[in-house]
Amino acid sequence: MVKNTAAFIYNPIKVDLDALKAAVAAEPSAAGWKVLWLPTSKEDAGQGPAKQAIDTGADLIITAGGDGTVRAVAEVVRGTGTTMALLPSGTGNLLARNLSLTLDDTADSLATAFGGTTRDIDVAGIEIRRADRSTDSHVFLVMAGTGLDAKIMSNTDSELKKRVGWLAYAHALFVVLRDKNTLRLNYKVDADRTRSARVQAIIIGNCGSLPANILLLPDAVVDDGLLDVIVVKPESFHGWLEVMVKIFWENGIVGRLRWGRRARGLKTDSVDFRQAKTLVIKLNRAEEVQLDGDPFGEMVACRITVDPGALTIKVPQG
């Protein structure tokens, strides 16, 4: 007897379909489910298959791929009431990491997908204005940014990424640091005053952790109804040292200790942390933008908002 319908939206480049089908057949909690198999493509990162799954009446959409596939599927699924589950594959899997989901364990991920509990998480929406004055809207679940981080994403070699994983980003960082251009921008957090700044990067996060367990945004929580913003604006070598101390020492080491939050005391103008429900950014020239680790072209302005609890995700029991 068929209980429900589960749609697997998978990236055929990253997923061994035969092995996945065998794993589903071996999962006890998947028994009785009707299963649909919907691949993504170079032309469609997941929005089309997600719409097809919802139109078919899928009760559960299981996304097998990296953060880019998850982001594309969530763009359609959010607000529909349909539950998503993650079957992580790829390099980053930052949403899965921030939700403390198991990586590289298909059986465990399937047990969570079919038998876990649910958690409603926030979704960030971004309206991007291009240099030709056109606009397009997207969502992100992990982080968006312009400046240094966006340049790193666009300069990361895909073949190197396949071979060495997230270390390919470190290689791209050395390439990007040769670019001495800084961003000049205005940004406005909620109803606060508009601030002008010359920065290296501005990053907006729904999640806080990066690969290698780097805690970039220590106060970010996926279901607090807020976005966390970091403005990186060192003006000297000393400023960069302050950035490193703030992110790698205070956030990454001290902040993880039980008493650590009280000890995060470095006062510096080189890093600015804020929380927001709405953020508006206006640049003095077109700059690259990234969403959940994928390059999304150039923008001259954007408006970012948070949609609290808009996406239901399967997580392990307990």
Side-chain angles (χ1 to χ4, degrees):
M1 175 179 165
V2 173
K3 295 190 291 187
N4 298 101
T5 299
F8 280 83
I9 299 178
Y10 65 96
N11 184 332
I13 296 176
K14 297 181 178 180
V15 173
D16 183 334
L17 184 58
D18 290 337
L20 179 54
K21 286 183 175 180
V24 172
E27 170 52 43
S29 59
W33 283 73
K34 176 184 178 182
V35 178
L36 306 176
W37 300 96
L38 305 173
T40 64
S41 65
K42 185 177 181 180
E43 297 75 24
D44 190 331
Q47 291 93 338
K51 187 176 185 306
Q52 182 181 347
I54 291 172
D55 290 345
T56 306
D59 306 280
L60 174 66
I61 294 178
I62 303 172
T63 306
D67 285 316
T69 306
V70 173
R71 190 209 64 79
V73 173
E75 198 161 79
V76 175
V77 175
R78 67 156 177 166
T80 64
T82 303
T83 300
M84 271 184 66
L86 308 184
L87 197 63
S89 63
T91 304
N93 297 310
L94 289 181
L95 181 61
R97 293 174 191 271
N98 279 272
L99 289 172
S100 299
L101 300 182
T102 303
L103 305 179
D104 302 319
D105 188 336
T106 300
D108 188 76
S109 295
L110 289 173
T112 296
F114 287 103
T117 187
T118 60
R119 182 177 181 181
D120 293 338
I121 68 169
D122 304 335
V123 177
I126 179 169
E127 182 180 290
I128 299 173
R129 182 172 294 278
R130 308 292 182 176
D132 63 1
R133 297 189 177 183
S134 65
T135 61
D136 46 282
S137 297
H138 307 278
V139 306
F140 62 93
L141 301 173
V142 182
M143 294 180 192
T146 186
L148 190 64
D149 68 312
K151 291 176 183 177
I152 290 172
M153 300 308 171
S154 64
N155 282 275
T156 299
D157 185 285
S158 58
E159 292 302 316
L160 182 63
K161 188 175 173 182
K162 290 178 183 177
R163 294 200 305 272
V164 301
W166 65 267
L167 288 174
Y169 296 122
H171 176 267
L173 174 62
F174 287 108
V175 175
V176 169
L177 285 177
R178 298 173 188 168
D179 184 354
K180 302 302 181 183
N181 292 325
T182 56
L183 280 70
R184 295 179 183 271
L185 54 81
N186 295 326
Y187 66 99
K188 181 179 174 65
V189 174
D190 296 333
D192 198 2
R193 66 179 176 86
T194 299
R195 300 171 184 269
S196 298
R198 188 170 64 180
V199 310
Q200 289 292 337
I202 181 167
I203 303 169
I204 306 90
N206 190 37
C207 300
S209 295
L210 298 174
N213 209 26
I214 297 170
L215 187 58
L216 180 66
L217 299 166
D219 297 319
V221 182
V222 294
D223 54 5
D224 62 355
L226 295 170
L227 298 172
D228 285 66
V229 183
I230 178 173
V231 184
V232 182
K233 46 181 180 177
E235 296 185 354
S236 63
F237 177 73
H238 182 263
W240 275 113
L241 287 179
E242 292 179 331
V243 171
M244 296 300 105
V245 169
K246 199 73 179 174
I247 294 174
F248 292 102
W249 174 247
E250 287 197 1
N251 292 356
I253 298 177
V254 176
R256 295 181 186 276
L257 302 176
R258 181 174 299 178
W259 46 266
R261 288 184 177 272
R262 297 192 300 273
R264 295 203 314 251
L266 174 64
K267 303 297 182 184
T268 173
D269 292 330
S270 298
V271 187
D272 186 14
F273 289 97
R274 296 182 177 274
Q275 290 188 313
K277 293 183 178 179
T278 302
L279 176 70
V280 177
I281 301 172
K282 295 182 180 179
L283 300 158
N284 73 324
R285 66 172 185 267
E287 295 283 355
E288 292 173 278
V289 59
Q290 65 86 11
L291 304 180
D292 287 353
D294 288 334
F296 262 72
E298 294 186 340
M299 71 174 190
V300 294
C302 70
R303 183 174 187 269
I304 300 173
T305 57
V306 62
D307 191 358
L311 186 66
T312 302
I313 296 284
K314 277 294 190 75
V315 294
Q317 293 280 359

